[in-house]
Every structure is written in structure tokens, then in C-alpha cells.
């Protein structure tokens, strides 16, 4: 008798596994071997988190974050996995680290996550100093934790092609700041290693670029498993030169949405899925769920009111939105027994899956976007890590689904690794 | 308020930490950095386990095993750590493994441990086939588990300089067989990688050789921490050309024992320790606690009866004992609340500490040898892994002591790595 470690989690309890999940579980060995070769070609990002949506018939990443927060939501029992993974990934080349958080943050959740990240690096036996990118502030900034503890963010100085804190000369700079407002001068043309490369900050990175690499990765992976790529990949299309306020390009956008909806409908028919297709239109740059909307009918776009248009016009850091990504909406059919919608988020350090949690929303529907500003969610830490499935697929067990999460999340991380490699090649 | 995860474990509960433990905990960063450099120079053994004895004032390894059993005694919650560690250590060079267990074993504990080891390798995504070294048996041997499961040990064939199972051509051979009876012809001059190198089997390896490397390692480590090396190193001396049955060399042995006892007494006086010094005399080759005796007075050796002499004359595989190691006895002052003696055993995969357990003996004293044949012990899995200490040394917490265990165990593994490197250099 297996003990279920995820209380109240409906899909995990009531499996059977969906066919594509069984396909993945039965191919653990070729999958792990393929990942090993893939990471050899393009090293994994130092850290990443991937938001997944599981519609039952389909499981897909909807966002890949290279500046993850939320480490405080992971199961504390997995900290040893994080420590080991970071040791394996950082290796012995560099002992002195500089870690840089978001600017101007008073968000306790973020500060707690940042502290957990700092502690993982310290426990792994690296020297860690914290620096801030607020060039207008020449002194140390104190981040207060509710626990009473204080984190000291020291001012950074530039000396030649190196960044330092006083005489502290780090060999690796770890960005936990997504650079939404652009790459600050102090980070330009550094000879020190930066993880991730600053060009992967949201000021330059395009979601459509990421998903183009994801298409590549999924096509290779699906060929290996003889799997329909659509089952793990949301359809998408980028639309450029839009101005929501000036109503420029909106018809073009509506046409593209219509195309994607029709393609989704074809897949739904093929797989006898009776749900109504929908898409998510989101800023091609940017994060934090700003500038995002759900569309089931292209006509919606032609009749946006001023408030809706202004919602779509700006993203984090007051950046204007001119390029959007249309992404196939993936229903979230994972829910708690009380009906709340749950969305898994998987965390990786290097090539290793180190844990995850569910964003559980008590008031949202199955096609709502679960990561939007001010949106309340309760984190439910995975009770088990994602790297050790129960190998017997005839006996459903939550670790099996967790393993599948970890596979899809790693595909997204591999796409990010290829983005980074392409940028490093260009530099 | 911290929750103590190790029920009834006296020393862990009643801390305070001993001074050398605090020294080690406060130096986590330089220690981890030093280990990283050390593993870069001499790669860690693929797997190892180290028996430790903790006398409070002193913590030392007494045995380093490169063919560990006992994986079944580890906390199942740490399996993800094992999987990750083996992935990091084996890497992407080789996908097809051959795993070889002990010969002629019907010991359920061993078979269960071997199955756990096999499952770790499978879950890490490697191809694994099991082979046996019983050259007189040309067919597949079935190992029955009490659970009803069966492990198939297939016959090995030699083709040129490669070892195979039929057409299965592994790139790495993992020995979980300590080769007590010598290196079988089929393993000689293989072009495939063998872990560990066959010359580290007990037919050739000398404990005194291991502890000579351990001396080196401890001296470097102690200099880094400004620590008296004796606090983590048992005194030892090898004595050769002994024949217990023919009473040859016994006086020489008694003299050497006397020398070591006097040196221990000097240290005890220096540290104001009032216990009575003792040594352990053990076969310099061999394992399984055979050919081992405790000596508190050199005269004991001059008056051994026939039974005692015959006990010291042979070790596993009926090998004659001619060389012995005299090792400083380290009291075991770790005990359960009911007074049972407990001895920690720490497991490593590559450079990573992946867990451990206590050998708990209800009927033995603090200077008894806890790993002897037929000796009953109860395994008490560590409730936490050894790689993530609570960093605040002012608040005692069992994870602190576990971290110290992990450091000392890694020093012993590093000594084994240097043994292996020296052998590889010779080959």
C-alpha cells in the first residue's frame, strides 16, 4: 500500500496516468540519456523555474523564468538537493559569488525567497556577498525580513572590466534581477561570468524567441519518443508593431488569434476534446503577469474598452508593449478536492530538478491566468522531488506525475540554455 | 524551537558541540572550497561508506569501504540525493553499466542493499545489467528477495580486452564485490573503466596503505583549520610477517602495541582524558570484521589461547593473516537513551554525502567492535542528510553533528581517492 504524499490533490490521487505520461515514464532511460547529451552541448541555466499547465490530455510550459523567486515555497526537506545541485553546477572554478536581487523590493515573499537562495549558496560552501543595482544609492541597503533578520545589499563598483564590492572581487555574478528596465552600464562587457547572461533579462529577451527554441527542443524530444509534439507544446505566434492605445495592428492581431484558435480546434477534434479553445495574448517582453489577457473570440480584441487597452499597453517597469505573443491556452485540469485550481511550478538548478510547488487559487477558473499581479495564491510544496519516479506505471503514484513535470520543465530549461548559448555566441 | 529529528539519540540531543566540531562548523566555506580543489586533483570514488567512532573529544574513521552494502539502511527520503549524486558523478560519458555483486550470497540484507543500488542507477537513467564473477557457473544466477522479486545475475564473457554479457557491451563496470579472493582473470587488463579499480579489492589493498593516505589528507586539512590532527585521526602502525598459529612475531606485535598505547596515553594526558587507552589489532587485508581483536594490555597478546590465535589467523575467503594493523581504539560515546552503543556509518556517491545510519548495538560496550561477523545491529537511518548544517553554532542541532560526520567521512574517501589515483598511475 503506497502512502500518498500529496494530500487533497485530485489528479495525483485519482490518476490513471494519461497516455503521454505513460509514454514518458516508460522511456526514462532514453530520456535521461538524451538530456545528458543535450546538457553537454548546451550547459543548463544556473537556475530556472517553469510554470506548467496540465490539461490532462496535454501538459505544457507557459513561462520559463531565469530569475526565479519562490524558493521559500519549496519543501524545506529538498534543501539538500538544492545544495548538491548548485555544488555540481557551479563546480570548483569559482569560490566568490556576487548575488544581485530585484531593485526597490519590499515584498516579503520575494525577500524570503532571496534569503533562501543566499542560504543555499552559503551552505554549498561558497563565499556570497549581496549587491544592489540602484546606482543612485551609494550606500548599503538593508532588506528587513519579518523574522527580524537583515540582508545587506552593498553598493557595486566598476573597476576596468570587473565589478566589485569594495575590494571583494567575485568570479561569478548571479542575477536574481530580471533587468526589466534594461542592462545597467555597470554590467556591460564584464570579464566576469554572469549567470544568466544579462541579455536574457526581460528588457531584451522575447518570449517568442524562447518558444521558438522550445519548438526545436520539443521536435527533437518528440521524435525520440514518437510523441505528437502538440501534447507538450502550446501553439504560438508572435505579432509585432502593435499599439493598443493608438489601436494600431489590432485587426492583424485578431486575425492571428483566429488562425491559432482554428488550429487548436483541429487538434481538439483529432483528440476528441470538447472544450472550447482559447488563447492567451501576452507582452512578448516582460513578466509578472502584466500585459496579459485571455481571448476565446477574436472579436473581443476589436472591442476592447479603454481600461482593457491600457492594461495591455504597459508591462513591468512601465515598458511599452509593442510586440505580443499569442499562446495557445492550456486548461488547468489539476485542482484540489475543494475545486481550487492548481498550477505546478518546477524549480531547477543546473540540469537538476530540485523541487516545486503548486500555485493554488481558491477563486479562479480553469482557464484563468494564475500568475498575475496582486493575485493571491497559496503555495503547496511538492511532497516529493521530481527526479525519482516510482517505475511501475501500472500502480499510479504521484512521483510518476512529478517525474513528468520534471521532464517537461527541463525541456523548457533546455530551450533557455539554447537561447543563452546563441547570445554567448553573438557576444 | 527546533524539532529534533533523531529520537532518543543522546549525544545529538544533549550537545553542546565539542570544540573541534565547532571549529569545523565555523569553517564550512574554506572546507567546502578545499574539498572542491581536492576532488579536482583526485576524483572521488564512485561510491564509498565510512565507519566512524565518536568519542566526544575525538571523531575518527575506522574503516573505509569502497564496495558498500547497507544502502537499504539509508533513509528512503534521501534516494533523490543518491540519484542526483550518481548522475553528477557518472556524467554523460557512459550510458551502459555492468554491476557486479558479491559471490555466493544468500544474505537478504546484502541482496536488499544491492537491489537499492541497482534501482538508484536505473532511476538515474542508466542502462544496468547485473553480472556474476562465479566462473564455474555458466548460466544466469537468480537472487531471490524476500519480497518475491528476483535479480538476474548473468554470466560474463571476455572478448579481447572487453567484458560483456552476451552482446551487451558496457562502458563502465561497477564492482560491489570486494574481490577478497583476488582479482579474477576476467577483470585483468580491461579497457573498460572499472569503479573502483580492481586493485582496491581486499586481496591487494592494505588498511595501512589507506591510513597512510589518510594521515596525509588529515595533515593538510588540519593545517587549514589549525586543528590538532589527532582529534580526527587514530594512531596506527603496521606490523608485518606475523604468524599467530606458529607464534611468530607476536612479541614484536606486543612491543608495537605498547608503543601505541603509550602515545595514546600522552594525548589523553594532554587533553585530560581519564579513560584507559586501548588498541584494535586487525588484519591489514580483509574486511567483514574478521581477524580483529581489542587489546588494552600488550601482555594479552603473549598469552593468547588456541581459539584466540585461530580467530586472528584467517579472514574472509579463508585468507591467511600475516600482516596486521594496530589502530588506536576510539571509544564510542555516542549512545541511545537506553544505553545501547551507536556507531555512525556515512555513505558517499562521488564527492557527495548522501546519507548514513547508526549501527545500534543493544548488548555491546563502548570499546567493542561494532562491525563483526554475526553481530546483530539495528540500523537507525539518519533523519537528515549530512550536507546541510544549521549554520548557527550557538544553537545545537543534530544537522551540525551530521555535517561534521560528513566532513570526516569525506576525508577518508579522499584518502581512498588518492589510493586509487596511485594505483591508476602504476597501471
Amino acid at each position: 500500500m503506497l502512502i500518498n504524499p500529496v494530500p487533497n490533490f485530485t489528479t495525483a490521487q485519482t490518476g490513471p496516468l494519461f497516455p503521454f505520461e505513460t509514454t514518458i515514464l516508460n522511456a526514462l532511460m532514453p530520456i535521461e540519456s538524451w538530456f545528458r547529451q543535450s546538457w553537454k552541448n548546451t550547459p543548463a541555466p544556473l537556475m530556472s523555474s517553469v510554470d506548467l499547465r496540465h490539461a490532462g490530455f496535454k501538459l505544457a510550459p507557459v513561462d520559463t523564468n531565469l530569475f526565479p523567486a519562490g524558493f521559500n515555497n519549496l519543501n524545506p526537506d529538498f534543501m539538500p538537493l538544492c545544495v548538491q545541485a548548485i555544488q555540481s553546477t557551479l563546480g570548483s572554478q569559482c569560490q566568490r559569488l556576487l548575488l544581485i536581487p530585484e531593485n526597490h523590493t519590499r515584498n516579503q515573499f520575494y525577500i524570503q525567497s532571496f534569503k533562501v537562495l543566499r542560504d543555499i549558496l552559503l551552505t554549498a560552501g561558497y563565499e556570497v556577498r549581496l549587491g544592489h543595482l540602484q546606482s543612485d544609492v551609494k550606500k548599503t541597503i538593508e532588506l528587513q525580513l519579518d523574522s527580524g533578520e537583515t540582508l545587506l545589499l552593498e553598493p557595486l563598483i566598476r573597476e576596468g572590466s570587473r565589478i566589485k564590492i569594495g575590494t571583494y572581487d567575485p568570479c561569478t555574478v548571479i542575477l536574481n534581477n530580471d533587468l526589466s528596465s534594461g542592462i545597467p552600464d555597470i554590467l556591460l562587457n564584464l570579464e566576469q561570468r554572469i549567470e544568466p547572461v544579462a541579455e536574457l533579462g526581460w528588457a531584451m529577451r522575447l518570449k517568442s524567441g524562447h518558444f521558438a527554441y522550445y519548438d526545436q527542443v520539443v521536435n527533437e524530444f518528440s521524435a525520440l519518443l514518437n510523441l505528437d509534439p502538440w501534447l507538450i507544446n502550446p501553439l504560438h505566434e508572435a505579432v509585432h508593431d502593435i499599439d493598443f492605445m493608438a489601436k494600431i495592428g489590432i485587426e492583424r492581431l485578431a486575425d492571428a488569434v483566429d488562425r491559432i484558435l482554428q488550429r487548436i480546434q483541429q487538434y481538439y477534434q483529432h483528440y476528441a476534446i470538447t472544450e472550447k479553445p482559447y488563447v492567451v495574448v501576452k507582452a512578448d517582453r516582460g513578466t509578472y503577469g502584466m500585459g496579459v489577457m485571455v481571448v476565446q473570440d477574436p472579436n473581443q480584441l476589436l472591442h476592447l474598452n479603454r481600461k482593457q487597452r491600457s492594461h495591455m499597453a504597459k508591462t513591468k517597469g512601465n515598458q511599452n508593449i509593442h510586440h505580443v505573443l499569442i499562446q495557445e491556452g492550456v486548461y488547468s485540469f489539476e485542482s484540489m478536492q475543494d475545486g481550487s485550481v492548481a498550477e505546478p511550478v518546477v524549480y531547477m538548478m543546473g540540469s537538476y530538478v530540485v523541487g516545486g510547488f503548486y500555485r493554488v487559487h481558491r477563486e479562479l477558473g480553469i482557464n484563468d491566468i494564475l500568475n498575475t499581479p496582486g493575485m493571491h495564491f497559496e503555495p503547496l510544496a511538492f511532497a516529493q522531488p521530481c527526479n525519482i519516479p516510482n517505475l511501475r506505471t501500472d500502480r499510479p503514484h504521484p512521483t510518476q506525475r512529478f517525474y513528468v513535470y520534471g521532464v517537461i520543465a527541463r525541456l523548457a530549461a533546455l530551450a533557455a540554455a539554447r537561447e543563452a548559448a546563441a547570445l554567448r555566441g553573438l557576444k
Side-chain angles (χ1 to χ4, degrees), chain A:
Chain A
M1 177 67 186
L2 288 166
I3 295 158
N4 191 321
V6 187
N8 303 320
F9 192 67
T10 308
T11 45
Q13 284 181 330
T14 57
L17 293 163
F18 292 93
F20 78 92
E21 292 179 308
T22 308
T23 303
I24 286 174
L25 279 161
N26 288 338
L28 178 141
M29 204 177 301
I31 289 173
E32 294 303 322
S33 173
W34 180 84
F35 269 121
R36 278 192 277 273
Q37 290 307 316
S38 302
W39 299 129
K40 215 165 122 184
N41 298 333
T42 41
L46 183 60
M47 49 194 80
S48 54
S49 70
V50 175
D51 294 359
L52 300 174
R53 304 268 299 193
H54 197 332
F57 56 87
K58 172 166 193 157
L59 172 65
V62 293
D63 206 3
T64 304
N65 193 337
L66 298 175
F67 311 92
F71 287 108
N72 53 320
N73 296 328
L74 299 181
N75 188 333
D77 290 347
F78 300 161
M79 285 302 121
L81 267 183
C82 295
V83 168
Q84 203 184 71
I86 210 80
Q87 286 175 329
S88 173
T89 308
L90 280 177
S92 59
Q93 296 300 335
C94 173
Q95 178 64 20
R96 281 186 314 284
L97 310 178
L98 167 62
L99 179 60
I100 299 176
E102 292 292 334
N103 294 346
H104 304 292
T105 184
R106 290 287 171 269
N107 181 326
Q108 268 301 314
F109 298 114
Y110 178 77
I111 298 174
Q112 281 165 17
S113 165
F114 187 70
K115 179 184 149 32
V116 171
L117 176 56
R118 196 267 321 246
D119 287 350
I120 290 169
L121 294 167
L122 280 179
T123 309
Y126 295 94
E127 258 186 283
V128 185
R129 298 272 286 267
L130 312 176
H132 66 77
L133 287 177
Q134 292 168 236
S135 54
D136 50 329
V137 182
K138 300 294 178 206
K139 56 184 185 14
T140 295
I141 295 174
E142 297 192 358
L143 280 190
Q144 291 293 342
L145 284 126
D146 284 348
S147 65
E149 217 180 326
T150 303
L151 299 176
L152 299 180
L153 310 182
E154 300 181 82
L156 299 170
I157 55 170
R158 178 78 181 232
E159 276 184 22
S161 53
R162 300 189 73 81
I163 192 172
K164 297 183 180 182
I165 294 176
T167 58
Y168 182 79
D169 187 357
C171 30
T172 297
V173 181
I174 301 176
L175 290 177
N176 197 243
N177 179 313
D178 68 13
L179 306 181
S180 290
S181 313
I183 304 176
D185 290 348
I186 199 167
L187 293 181
L188 289 174
N189 303 313
L190 281 190
E191 65 182 40
Q192 288 135 311
R193 175 178 168 198
I194 310 191
E195 288 287 342
V197 290
E199 287 77 5
L200 283 176
W202 278 121
M204 304 187 63
R205 188 180 176 214
L206 294 176
K207 287 184 201 297
S208 57
H210 174 71
F211 280 97
Y213 283 107
Y214 186 71
D215 288 346
Q216 248 185 41
V217 166
V218 164
N219 290 342
E220 293 168 30
F221 178 82
S222 301
L224 180 80
L225 265 67
N226 202 13
L227 193 74
D228 178 353
W230 178 76
L231 296 172
I232 54 173
N233 195 1
L235 300 175
H236 57 90
E237 190 174 327
V239 181
H240 300 288
D241 304 317
I242 303 284
D243 187 331
F244 283 96
M245 294 318 287
K247 299 190 186 178
I248 293 167
I250 308 296
E251 286 200 19
R252 210 158 20 93
L253 177 62
D255 288 349
V257 165
D258 193 39
R259 270 198 302 279
I260 299 258
L261 286 171
Q262 287 183 29
R263 285 175 63 204
I264 301 171
Q265 187 57 50
Q266 285 166 7
Y267 279 106
Y268 277 19
Q269 270 162 8
H270 176 75
Y271 284 102
I273 296 155
T274 54
E275 309 299 327
K276 189 169 166 55
Y278 74 100
V279 299
V280 180
V281 177
K282 42 173 106 169
D284 204 357
R285 284 200 179 96
T287 177
Y288 281 86
M290 294 168 81
V292 179
M293 66 184 294
V294 168
V295 183
Q296 285 197 317
D297 178 342
N299 285 322
Q300 275 175 259
L301 290 165
L302 304 176
H303 302 97
L304 295 177
N305 62 30
R306 189 173 170 81
K307 190 178 158 200
Q308 290 167 321
R309 284 186 287 125
S310 104
H311 169 73
M312 289 303 292
K314 300 267 185 189
T315 183
K316 191 189 166 207
N318 214 27
Q319 304 292 302
N320 288 317
I321 296 176
H322 294 301
H323 308 297
V324 300
L325 176 73
I326 307 167
Q327 192 176 55
E328 173 186 348
V330 180
Y331 282 97
S332 191
F333 285 144
E334 291 193 292
S335 58
M336 312 297 286
Q337 279 174 341
D338 69 359
S340 313
V341 175
E343 185 184 65
V345 192
V346 175
Y347 283 70
M348 283 153 289
M349 292 191 148
S351 59
Y352 304 101
V353 177
V354 294
F357 61 88
Y358 292 102
R359 287 204 185 93
V360 179
H361 295 259
R362 305 231 168 259
E363 285 142 33
L364 294 180
I366 54 174
N367 67 348
D368 277 320
I369 295 149
L370 305 193
N371 185 19
T372 53
M375 199 56 88
H376 173 74
F377 72 90
E378 293 166 35
L380 172 66
F382 293 172
Q384 309 222 358
C386 298
N387 71 339
I388 180 163
N390 187 309
L391 291 168
R392 295 189 52 184
T393 50
D394 56 334
R395 271 194 301 186
H397 189 270
T399 56
Q400 297 174 332
R401 182 148 289 145
F402 289 164
Y403 178 73
V404 176
Y405 290 164
V407 170
I408 305 302
R410 279 184 288 168
L411 295 176
L414 180 54
R418 292 187 181 180
E419 280 180 88
L423 283 169
R424 287 202 162 96
L426 285 179
K427 270 171 70 174

